[in-house]
Amino acid sequence: MKHESVEINSGLLIVLTLVAISIGGLVEIVPLFHIKDTVEEVKGVRPYTPLEQRGRDLYIREGCYACHSQMIRPFRDEMMRYGHYSLGAESKYDHPFQWGSKRTGPDLARVGGKYSDEWQTQHMVNPQALVPDSVMPPYPWLLSTELDYSDIEQRMIALKRTGVPYSLSEEEFRRNVEEYGEEMAKKLHIPNAKATLEEQAKSRNWDGDPSRVTEMDAMVAYLQMLGTLVDFSQYEEGYFAKFR
Amino acid sequence: MSTNNTSKEVETTGHVWDGDLREYSNPLPSWWLWTFYGTIVFSLIYWVLYPTWPIGNDFTKGIKTIEVKDEQGKVIYDGHWNTRALLLDEMRNSPAALRQKEGIEMVKNASYEQILASPEMMSFARSMAKGLFGDYCAACHGTGGQGVLPYFPNLADDDWLWGGKVENIQKAITSGLKGNMPGFPTIQGQALDDLALYVLSLSGEKVDAAAAERGKKGYAMCMGCHGADGKGNAMLGAPNLTDKVWTVANVPGAGSIEGMKQEITNVIHKGIKREMPAFGHRLKDYEIKMLTVYVHEMGGGK
C-alpha cells in the first residue's frame, strides 16, 4: 500500500491510526493482567467491613482526596515520615483506589492507630481547635448526621462484582472463614451486613456516643484501619524488592 | 495561498491536490534526526540493563544487579536492579543515612543518664526528636508541647500526670496511656457544689470556707486516687489537685468562682476518659529514646 493512498483516504487513515494506538495501549495494559511477579504476596489484606466501607464512601463523598493522598512512595524521606512504602496488594480491594498525588495535608495511607478515636472525631469537627495552623476545613455534620446504611447490601454486591470477596452463599462464607477467620468472615457476609455494621459501630464508641450510629463512626472506623493490615515485621527487608 | 510564493529551490513530495496544491518535502533537521536515533539506541541499552518487557507471567529483569548489605554486613538483597532495592540501599548507605547513623548508634548504646549529661548527644537527639515530635505528637500536644485543654495535656510545664522521670515518659510513649476517672452522677445538688468548692480550696482558691468544709466529707470518695492530701497519684495518672495546674478542668479560664465550680462539677459528674495511643510498634526503640529525652527536657523533667 502506498503512503499516498493512506493520506488521501480519510476512512482508512482513521482505522489505521486506531490500530496503531491500540497496539501501544494493549502492550502496556494486557501484561498487567497476567504478571504475577509484580504483586507482592502479603498476609493480612482483607476487604473493608461494612462500617469501614461506608466510611470510605464518605471519604470520597467529602472529597478528602482533594488534599490527602494514600500512597507512601518508596523514598527515604517518605519512609522516615510515614512508615513503610505502600504496596500494590494493600489497595487491591479499593474501588476506586485513593493513591493520588495532591498533598495539601499529609498522606493518610498509614494514619490508622496514629491518633485516638477522640482526636479523629475532634479534629474532623474542628481541625483548628487541635492544630491551630491547619487549613483543613471542618466537617461537623459527620457527627450530627445519622449514618444511612439502608443500601449497604447493594453496595457490597456491587463491589463483589468487581472481585472483592464478600460472601453471599454459604460456600463463599466458608471460604472466607478459612481465609480471614470466623469473626472477620461474619463481617464480610452480605446477609449479615446491617447487623455487623451496627455491632462494630457500637463496639468501640468511635465518635464518643455509642447510642447512635453516625457518619463519624464510619469515618473514624475507616481512618483507624488505614495501613494497619500488613504486619511488616514478618517480612525480610529485601523481600519486597524482588517484585520490581 | 498565492501561487507566486512557491519557492523553486525546495523539492516537493510530488503529490498534487486540486490540480495545483503541492507539499514541500523538507528534510528533517539533522540535530533532530540524530537525537531521535539516539533515543532508540538509549532504549535498546535500557532494555538490556533494566527491568522492562513483560513476557507471559514474568518480565525481563535486565542484567544490571544490585547488592544491599545491612548494618552487620549481611546481604539483605542481591538481585536485579530496581527502585525498591535502591531505596533499601539508600536507607542504609546514603550520605544522609550514614551521618544520621553515627548519631543514632551513639544514642542507642547510651543510658539515659549518659545522654542527658552529654551536650553532643542531646543536640543530636533534640534535632531528630523535633521532627518526630512534629510528625507524631504535635497534632495532639501542639508543636511546642503546650497541649489543648481539656483533651491533651501540656508537656511543656513541669507538672506530670504519670510522673516526669525518663522511665515514666518512655513508658507513656511505648505503651500509651488511658486516663480514666469514673463519673459520680449520684453526687448532686448541694453536696456536689460543696465538694467542688472543697477541691478548689485545695489549690488555694478563695472560696466560701464553710461550704468547702462541708464538702470535705464527700472527698472521701476521691482519696483512693487523688490521695488524702489531694497531691494525686502518678501510678493511676490522677493529677495533683493542690497545685494550680489544670489539665482537664478549665479553671484558669473560668474567670469567676462560679465558673470554676462549674468546671469542677462537670468533671465530677461526667468523669474523664482520655487516651494516648501507644507508639511502641510504630516507632523504633532509639526514636522513642530520643523523644523521651526531648519531652523530658521540654518539661524541665524530674
Side-chain angles (χ1 to χ4, degrees):
Chain A
M1 200 189 312
K2 283 187 72 185
H3 195 256
E4 187 177 354
S5 46
V6 181
E7 269 189 20
I8 61 177
N9 193 335
S10 56
L12 184 62
L13 183 66
I14 289 172
V15 171
L16 291 180
T17 310
L18 281 179
V19 169
I21 292 174
S22 340
I23 290 175
L26 291 173
V27 166
E28 282 188 0
I29 297 162
V30 172
L32 296 181
F33 298 152
H34 297 285
I35 297 184
K36 301 269 183 304
D37 284 12
T38 54
V39 179
E40 318 80 3
E41 267 175 53
V42 283
K43 288 210 182 64
V45 181
R46 58 158 176 83
Y48 298 100
T49 66
L51 184 66
E52 292 157 4
Q53 180 56 44
R54 280 304 283 133
R56 214 184 109 81
D57 295 341
L58 296 173
Y59 184 93
I60 294 167
R61 182 191 77 187
E62 299 296 351
C64 311
Y65 53 77
C67 291
H68 293 286
S69 60
Q70 286 188 23
M71 182 176 58
I72 303 165
R73 293 170 288 198
F75 300 130
R76 180 166 178 269
D77 54 332
E78 301 228 346
M79 295 272 282
M80 306 256 307
R81 172 160 185 193
Y82 297 118
H84 201 286
Y85 53 79
S86 298
L87 304 174
E90 286 184 287
S91 38
K92 69 177 166 183
Y93 299 132
D94 284 8
H95 298 283
F97 60 77
Q98 296 297 316
W99 301 334
S101 60
K102 179 75 180 73
R103 285 185 181 163
T104 302
D107 188 273
L108 297 182
R110 298 208 188 284
V111 84
K114 186 177 172 194
Y115 303 121
S116 55
D117 299 346
E118 182 181 29
W119 186 90
Q120 291 291 4
T121 303
Q122 298 299 339
H123 182 253
M124 212 65 73
V125 172
N126 184 1
Q128 287 71 29
L130 301 182
V131 184
D133 303 336
S134 180
V135 295
M136 175 160 147
Y139 296 88
W141 55 87
L142 295 177
L143 188 59
S144 53
T145 315
E146 303 246 357
L147 182 69
D148 174 8
Y149 52 98
S150 54
D151 57 357
I152 184 66
E153 290 91 351
Q154 282 93 311
R155 286 171 187 268
M156 290 167 84
I157 289 169
L159 284 165
K160 186 167 186 291
R161 293 216 180 106
T162 69
V164 180
Y166 290 121
S167 59
L168 264 174
S169 67
E170 197 54 35
E171 192 195 334
E172 288 166 338
F173 174 71
R174 276 198 302 277
R175 184 203 59 205
N176 277 352
V177 171
E178 249 167 62
E179 186 72 32
Y180 308 111
E182 175 105 28
E183 200 186 330
M184 184 48 63
K186 277 190 192 146
K187 295 199 173 114
L188 305 181
H189 197 45
I190 297 174
N192 291 351
K194 284 205 174 71
T196 52
L197 184 146
E198 284 164 18
E199 193 187 307
Q200 197 187 357
K202 286 170 185 172
S203 68
R204 196 167 130 180
N205 195 4
W206 306 95
D207 66 354
D209 179 359
S211 66
R212 31 185 239 144
V213 181
T214 61
E215 294 190 339
M216 188 67 84
D217 283 322
M219 181 67 93
V220 175
Y222 170 61
L223 291 173
Q224 289 290 43
M225 60 76 65
L226 281 180
T228 60
L229 297 180
V230 178
D231 178 3
F232 284 94
S233 67
Q234 294 200 340
Y235 298 94
E236 293 272 327
E237 297 234 30
Y239 174 72
F240 299 111
K242 294 197 215 49
F243 297 94
R244 277 295 176 276
Chain B
M1 208 203 281
S2 65
T3 43
N4 56 10
N5 215 4
T6 324
S7 156
K8 293 273 161 351
E9 287 102 72
V10 181
E11 253 182 78
T12 70
T13 54
H15 306 165
V16 184
W17 285 274
D18 285 352
D20 61 348
L21 277 179
R22 284 166 227 276
E23 189 185 357
Y24 286 149
S25 175
N26 279 314
L28 289 162
S30 58
W31 67 265
W32 191 94
L33 202 60
W34 285 109
T35 313
F36 179 64
Y37 291 146
T39 59
I40 293 176
V41 174
F42 176 85
S43 68
L44 289 174
I45 298 171
Y46 194 98
W47 293 346
V48 176
L49 288 180
Y50 299 110
T52 30
W53 286 101
I55 21 170
N57 293 339
D58 204 352
F59 57 96
T60 59
K61 306 269 191 311
I63 59 170
K64 194 168 159 66
T65 58
I66 174 170
E67 184 186 89
V68 184
K69 292 188 178 137
D70 71 0
E71 282 79 357
Q72 280 76 43
K74 197 181 118 209
V75 177
I76 52 174
Y77 178 82
D78 183 13
H80 69 281
W81 180 99
N82 68 70
T83 44
R84 286 184 177 180
L86 274 191
L87 173 67
L88 267 185
D89 192 40
E90 200 194 341
M91 292 296 286
R92 280 167 191 76
N93 304 320
S94 67
L98 288 176
R99 235 176 299 130
Q100 219 164 41
K101 194 166 122 188
E102 223 176 280
I104 290 171
E105 285 302 316
M106 205 159 54
V107 170
K108 240 186 194 167
N109 301 323
S111 70
Y112 279 118
E113 290 80 48
Q114 286 167 330
I115 301 172
L116 291 171
S118 151
E120 189 193 357
M121 276 193 266
M122 277 309 285
S123 92
F124 176 75
R126 223 176 274 131
S127 71
M128 210 167 156
K130 189 163 191 279
L132 291 168
F133 195 88
D135 283 348
Y136 295 105
C137 323
C140 291
H141 293 291
T143 2
Q146 72 284 358
V148 181
L149 212 74
Y151 304 115
F152 309 111
N154 188 336
L155 302 178
D157 59 6
D158 193 16
D159 193 75
W160 304 90
L161 290 159
W162 298 87
K165 298 210 179 68
V166 278
E167 302 83 67
N168 306 131
I169 298 173
Q170 177 183 323
K171 181 151 181 289
I173 303 172
T174 312
S175 335
L177 296 169
K178 285 205 160 52
N180 195 354
M181 161 164 159
F184 295 86
T186 53
I187 309 182
Q188 281 175 352
Q190 179 81 45
L192 181 59
D193 283 354
D194 291 348
L195 176 56
L197 290 173
Y198 174 71
V199 169
L200 285 171
S201 75
L202 286 174
S203 57
E205 298 296 344
K206 307 236 168 341
V207 297
D208 177 355
E213 193 53 34
R214 287 196 302 274
K216 192 170 179 180
K217 192 156 46 70
Y219 184 74
M221 274 187 280
C222 324
M223 281 184 199
C225 299
H226 291 285
D229 53 1
K231 290 250 161 65
N233 183 343
M235 303 281 285
L236 302 167
N240 185 344
L241 300 175
T242 66
D243 56 13
K244 282 181 175 292
V245 182
W246 299 93
T247 166
V248 181
N250 188 7
V251 171
S256 63
I257 292 285
E258 191 51 36
M260 294 180 186
K261 194 182 74 184
Q262 195 55 45
E263 287 288 327
I264 305 287
T265 53
N266 263 345
V267 168
I268 301 175
H269 192 75
K270 294 208 214 102
I272 303 165
K273 254 200 160 63
R274 298 200 299 186
E275 187 192 339
M276 150 130 170
F279 285 89
H281 57 284
R282 197 179 270 273
L283 297 174
K284 299 194 181 65
D285 285 348
Y286 63 81
E287 291 175 325
I288 293 182
K289 215 167 179 180
M290 289 189 240
L291 274 170
T292 299
V293 293
Y294 183 75
V295 171
H296 183 265
E297 190 185 44
M298 188 187 260
K302 300 218 160 54

